[in-house]
Amino acid sequence: VQLQASGGGLVQAGGSLRLSCAASGRTLESYDMAWFRQAPGKEREFVAVISWTSVSTAYAESVKGRFTISRDNAKSTMYLQMNSLQPDDTADYYCAAGRSALARTQDEYLLWGQGTLVTVSS
């Protein structure tokens, strides 16, 4: 299975973007899915995670209240709605899938997509 992230771009501070992560190859049944990000010169960090059923979600404190993670299993696609973007949100955003429940560490994820770049100007 492959994960394909898209939707990044350049936006002004205070603006919004929606990222998508499409899975192809086979179903991701029972997989939790997550977004991570990596800013220039920094380590990759957890952003948000959603369970297979969408019943449970978790967010990094830095994005809570501004970002919303969701998924459409019929379309094998996960989303990240990002509102009130700030320059500190500038990073490559990566999607991932794994079987550990609501994991926040990279090692728990088996599948990764390529990054999609989000740039927020001040």
Side-chain angles (χ1 to χ4, degrees), residues 69-82:
I69 190 171
S70 62
R71 67 191 292 173
D72 183 341
N73 291 334
K75 296 182 179 179
S76 297
T77 303
M78 173 181 66
Y79 305 97
L80 185 68
Q81 178 66 44
M82 305 185 294

Side-chain angles (χ1 to χ4, degrees), residues 26-99:
R26 64 174 170 87
T27 180
L28 288 178
E29 184 173 347
S30 300
Y31 280 75
D32 284 11
M33 296 189 73
W35 290 97
F36 287 77
R37 67 185 182 184
Q38 187 167 18
K42 295 186 177 180
E43 298 201 351
R44 193 173 297 186
E45 64 176 5
F46 166 78
V47 175
V49 60
I50 187 167
S51 64
W52 160 250
T53 61
S54 299
V55 168
S56 300
T57 58
Y59 296 90
E61 284 298 320
S62 59
V63 306
K64 196 173 292 184
R66 300 187 297 123
F67 291 10
T68 302
I69 190 171
S70 62
R71 67 191 292 173
D72 183 341
N73 291 334
K75 296 182 179 179
S76 297
T77 303
M78 173 181 66
Y79 305 97
L80 185 68
Q81 178 66 44
M82 305 185 294
N83 298 329
S84 302
L85 283 162
Q86 299 302 317
D88 284 350
D89 295 316
T90 295
D92 278 309
Y93 283 72
Y94 297 86
C95 57
R99 292 190 177 273

